[in-house]
Amino acid sequence: MDMFSHCPLCKQPTDIEVGFYYGTGYVSYIIALLITLVSFLVWFLVIGFSFSDRRFLFWMIFNSVLLVALQPWLMRFSRVLWLSWFVNYDQEWKDHPPEESGRTIEGEMNNW
C-alpha cells in the first residue's frame, strides 16, 4: 500500500498536496466496473447464464474474488493514472528537475 514519496528515476514528488489522491477512488471504481463488464461478457460467451443451475451465482462469486484479488493492483494503477493526469511528462526530465509544490504537510503525508 506504500508509495514512493518521489519517483526513484526522475525525483518527481508523488505526494503533491494533502488529499491529492482522494479522486482515485472514482478512477478505481470505473476500472472495477469495466473489469466486471468484461468478466460478464466473457462468462456469458464461454459458459452462459442460467438462473436454474446457479451459473449466475458462480459468476458473481468469481467476479467478487477477482475484484478482491485485483484490489492492490487497482489502487496502484488508479494512483499512477491520476498522477499522470496532473503531472505533465517532460521529455528532457534529466535537464529539468521537478519543482517542489510547497503544498505538502509532513504530518499529513501518506494519510489516505
Side-chain angles (χ1 to χ4, degrees):
M1 301 303 249
D2 293 335
M3 287 184 63
F4 291 114
S5 61
H6 292 80
C7 174
L9 187 61
C10 69
K11 306 302 182 224
Q12 168 68 42
T14 58
D15 205 353
I16 295 177
E17 63 185 34
V18 176
F20 177 72
Y21 290 105
Y22 286 155
T24 60
Y26 299 108
V27 175
S28 179
Y29 179 72
I30 290 170
I31 295 170
L33 281 177
L34 292 174
I35 291 171
T36 300
L37 286 173
V38 168
S39 75
F40 181 85
L41 289 173
V42 169
W43 191 281
F44 178 72
L45 294 173
V46 173
I47 297 173
F49 285 106
S50 173
F51 294 106
S52 61
D53 63 356
R54 298 184 181 169
R55 282 187 265 179
F56 184 73
L57 176 66
F58 291 146
W59 170 75
M60 297 245 330
I61 293 169
F62 167 77
N63 190 57
S64 299
V65 169
L66 178 68
L67 289 176
V68 168
L70 287 178
Q71 188 57 35
W73 177 82
L74 278 172
M75 290 177 64
R76 284 187 176 268
F77 182 68
S78 63
R79 287 177 185 174
V80 168
L81 193 59
W82 188 260
L83 186 64
S84 72
W85 290 338
F86 292 99
V87 176
N88 294 327
Y89 177 71
D90 184 10
Q91 291 183 349
E92 299 172 357
W93 58 269
K94 291 181 182 178
D95 299 328
H96 305 115
E99 300 174 5
E100 290 290 332
S101 67
R103 296 181 294 213
T104 57
I105 301 171
E106 289 296 324
E108 297 292 324
M109 299 291 275
N110 293 322
N111 192 14
W112 49 75

